[in-house]
Amino acid sequence: MARIELSGIQKRWGDNFGVRNVDIDIADEEFIVFLGPSGCGKTTTMRMIAGLEDPSDGEIRMNGELMNDIDARDRDVAMVFQGYALYPNMSVFENIRFPLRMRGIPRARHGELVREAAELVELTDFLDRKPAALSGGQRQRAALARAIVRQPQAFLMDEPLSNLDAKLRQAMRVQIKRIQRELKITTVYVTHDQIEAMTLADRIAIMQSGEIQQIGTPDEIYNAPANTFVAGFIGSPPMNLVDGVLEGGVFRSPGIEVAGLPEQRGGQVALGIRPEDCSIDGDSEQAQGDSAPHLTGAVYGVEPTGDLTYVTLRVSGKLFEVKAHRNYRAALDSEASVRFDLERVHFFESKSGSRLQIG
């Protein structure tokens, strides 16, 4: 398998940078996800690993060997794309078999290898069909089997589930993770979907404007975001971020006051709190406490989802999200009060957005 090292990787077109100063060491058998909004550089980074783009600066190594001047076909990586890229005139069997023909694998082994790959993705009953006769999920599984049959040293997957509906995406996430664990193949996965990243990855590299903002396990990124971009990108709904002043252990912002905080650091900061780390008065399933609530606002929206209720409050002209019990209901424009779990409050420097260590 493969250890992949990116050192000082940059991609630029004239004065415009698509990727800037990327340094990352991807361990053998690791499943790493590049996550970020459109145009952040995640796909360009993966294409440089594949050899489909040349880096402007820096080095790419696989198992210690410099890859910069190695052609894509000689890097022994298999790619899975968003658009399946199946040959419509070939059967599923022939589509999966195609890489074996291109790599000169003895013909006598083709049937065995194709069926092993098809069995992993549960397509053995569909090998005689053409792609047009398959569902979207089956086509993506066929594309995955075509990558598996090569037995590459690394998988590179570029938003492979984007064309599927929510139920199929969930099923395919489970399948991709199981296959990767069984085959123990280093996998680089690109997506803009934070749920895919959180459920699939051993580590996540979050990118914005061509730069990595944070690398860590899903738990590390969720529980300790490096900056306000990461805090606002991860989570559904994302973390609430409120600008204000921290002085003498008290955070104040219009409509919000949080006392009992550590006093080592003060000044202009952004307070962050996730919707699930808030409790709303009147929700019988959540503890209310005896102290004054940390904020009071007007109910802007109530969204029951079956397992919980999303409550949106308007506080001094800004919206604030809370996750309440599934039975919680409130009239629009009624007043609601919220308390924070002070052990789950985050602070960020106002100008840079960097995380502050307080306490």
Side-chain angles (χ1 to χ4, degrees), residues 149-163:
V149 79
R150 289 188 53 188
Q151 300 179 356
Q153 63 176 343
F155 287 138
L156 306 179
M157 301 188 183
D158 187 10
E159 306 213 35
L161 307 185
S162 294
N163 290 341

Side-chain angles (χ1 to χ4, degrees), residues 246 261-266 269 345-348 356-359:
L246 179 62
L261 299 168
E263 300 186 17
Q264 299 100 309
R265 185 79 176 259
V269 299
V345 170
H346 308 261
F347 288 99
F348 304 90
L356 295 173
Q357 298 297 328
I358 296 180

Side-chain angles (χ1 to χ4, degrees), residues 31 64 72 82 105 108 113 134-135 174 179 183 185 217 235 238 240 252 268 284 316 329 347 349 355:
F31 196 127
Q82 175 182 347
I105 303 299
L113 293 173
L134 302 179
S135 68
V174 172
I179 289 169
L183 298 179
I185 293 179
T217 67
N240 295 296
R252 292 184 176 89
Q268 295 285 335
S284 60
S316 298
R329 298 294 184 271
F347 288 99
E349 204 277 326
R355 180 183 182 82

